[in-house]
Amino acid sequence: MNETIVCVVGNVATQPVYRESAAGPSARFRLAVTTRYWDREKSAWTDGHTNFFTVWANRQLAVNVAACVEIGQPLVVQGRLKVRTEGREGQQQWASADIDAVAIGHDLARGTAAFQRAAKPEQALTAARPEPNWETPQPVGAASDEAAQQAPQPAAVT
């Protein structure tokens, strides 16, 4: 309920790693987000600090990430931010920022992309319910030609 939703724009830093598990497909990659600011002294744009996020995608999003995301591409990622801190005995503590992605797309401010809708799995097509037959059944024993030629009779309402 009280989750931190973020939207970050950056470049893919590592090749996406795709895995199939019992819970479904998942993919992860690192996203580099570098701030840029106008340096008045140099009269030029300057790169600031770079933050790295591990982006996690699940289910169909993971399949699509594995199919079309490559190192260096500019992306827009929206999802839930999770910051973890860990420390091992005798070692320094460290923190990592993960994003459980809800949506991922190419940054069209920096290039073009051609959208292609993902194909639905064959399994879902066969599991669909058949469409009901809404046609009025023909009376039993009536010839099909005669029934097709006769005009429908209005129903009596009392």
Side-chain angles (χ1 to χ4, degrees), residues 2 5 15 17 20 37 45 69 101 105-107 110 138 158:
N2 293 325
I5 304 296
Q15 187 65 32
V17 176
E20 294 263 352
Y37 62 94
W45 286 99
V69 171
H106 288 100
D107 183 2
R110 296 192 270 164
Q138 294 183 352
T158 57

Side-chain angles (χ1 to χ4, degrees), residues 18 25-27 55-69 77-78 100-105:
Y18 178 79
S26 70
V55 178
W56 293 88
N58 296 305
R59 295 175 290 285
Q60 187 62 43
L61 183 58
V63 174
N64 295 343
V65 163
C68 67
V69 171
V77 176
Q78 181 181 13
D100 187 12
V102 174
I104 298 173

